[in-house]
């Protein structure tokens, strides 16, 4: 099982990082018509505006869109791993029900909803921030200097991708837990 997961993880990492390394050869600003069309699609249709006014506008917008789309694949992969582990653990263990108090459940729900809200607000702030690459104001010197180089853009976008992956993973797990809870409730009624 671990070997299969390791191979899938290596394939997923390779599928994510090879196109990013090939994107390093893209120009910093759109030069030909197809690049301008892609830039316009990402900024107008997907509403991703990160780094539009910076020195690497086309590259930054393209990498941001790529990592935001790829984060969903990572979230699904991690959810699948957790689901498989849960299925194996339910087969191996006897049926023991956990005794939760009402406050325990409410605390877990509040923490999950708060984490999802925090992650999505971070990602919305990040996607809508046009001047991420300029000005030392609220962005700080670290992100301003990272967005001046192509490799820095990759590292900064990987950082923000983790917020999106974990918030999507939390949503998937919350939806699965709700489905499982409702399924168990309807079994008891019948």
């Amino acid at each position: 099982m671990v070997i299969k997961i390791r191979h899938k993880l290596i394939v997923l990492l390779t599928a994510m990082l090879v196109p990013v390394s090939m994107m390093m050869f893209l120009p910093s600003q759109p030069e030909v018509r197809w690049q301008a069309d892609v830039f316009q699609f990402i900024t107008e249709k997907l509403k991703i505006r990160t780094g539009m006014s910076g020195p690497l506008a086309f590259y930054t917008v393209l990498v941001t869109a790529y990592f935001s789309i790829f984060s969903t694949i990572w979230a699904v992969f991690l959810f699948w791993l957790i689901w498989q582990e849960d299925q194996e653990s339910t087969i191996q263990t006897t049926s023991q029900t956990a005794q939760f108090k009402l406050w325990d459940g409410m605390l877990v729900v509040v923490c999950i909803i708060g984490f999802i809200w925090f992650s999505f607000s971070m990602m919305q702030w990040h996607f809508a921030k046009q001047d991420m690459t300029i000005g030392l104001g609220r962005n700080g010197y670290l992100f301003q200097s990272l967005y001046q180089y192509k490799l820095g853009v990759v590292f900064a976008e990987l950082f923000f991708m983790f917020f999106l992956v974990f918030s999507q993973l939390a949503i998937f797990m919350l939806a699965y837990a709700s489905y499982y809870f409702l399924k168990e409730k309807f079994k008891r009624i019948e």
Side-chain angles (χ1 to χ4, degrees):
M1 178 70 177
V2 174
I3 294 173
K4 289 180 184 179
I5 292 173
R6 186 180 308 152
H7 289 300
K8 291 174 184 172
L9 186 63
I10 290 171
V11 167
L12 194 58
L13 279 172
T14 305
M16 183 177 80
L17 295 178
V18 168
V20 169
S21 63
M22 292 171 59
M23 281 186 219
M24 293 279 196
F25 298 108
L26 288 173
S28 57
Q29 302 289 337
E31 295 176 353
V32 292
R33 183 70 188 145
W34 73 267
Q35 292 172 349
D37 291 340
V38 168
F39 185 76
Q40 183 180 10
F41 174 77
I42 291 172
T43 56
E44 290 179 6
K45 300 289 185 197
L46 298 180
K47 305 284 190 228
I48 296 176
R49 303 196 188 300
T50 303
M52 275 179 47
S53 56
L56 302 170
F58 177 64
Y59 180 76
T60 303
V61 167
L62 196 65
V63 169
T64 301
Y66 176 74
F67 278 135
S68 63
I69 291 170
F70 216 89
S71 66
T72 304
I73 297 170
W74 270 102
V76 168
F77 178 72
L78 291 174
F79 176 73
W80 177 74
L81 290 178
I82 292 169
W83 181 74
Q84 263 194 328
E85 184 177 312
D86 182 49
Q87 294 297 324
E88 289 175 3
S89 68
T90 55
I91 291 172
Q92 292 174 356
T93 60
T94 60
S95 63
Q96 296 176 349
T97 57
Q99 298 295 321
F100 282 109
K101 296 178 183 166
L102 178 64
W103 293 111
D104 293 338
M106 288 177 60
L107 181 66
V108 168
V109 168
V110 166
C111 287
I112 289 173
I113 290 173
F115 182 71
I116 291 170
W117 175 80
F118 172 74
S119 297
F120 273 143
S121 62
M122 284 293 290
M123 289 311 296
Q124 187 170 3
W125 171 80
H126 175 62
F127 286 149
K129 194 73 172 163
Q130 291 185 19
D131 62 347
M132 181 70 73
T133 58
I134 57 175
L136 291 174
R138 298 184 316 212
N139 299 330
Y141 186 73
L142 176 64
F143 284 109
Q144 179 196 7
S145 58
L146 278 176
Y147 279 99
Q148 302 301 317
Y149 305 100
K150 287 186 175 182
L151 192 59
V153 170
V154 171
F155 286 129
E157 292 303 322
L158 278 173
F159 172 75
F160 284 110
M161 186 183 106
F162 288 123
F163 284 116
L164 189 58
V165 166
F166 288 123
S167 63
Q168 288 176 342
L169 181 63
I171 289 172
F172 290 152
M173 291 176 66
L174 193 62
Y176 176 71
S178 300
Y179 165 75
Y180 186 75
F181 176 76
L182 290 174
K183 187 173 106 175
E184 290 297 318
K185 282 289 187 186
F186 285 129
K187 275 186 184 178
R188 291 181 189 166
I189 291 174
E190 294 173 356

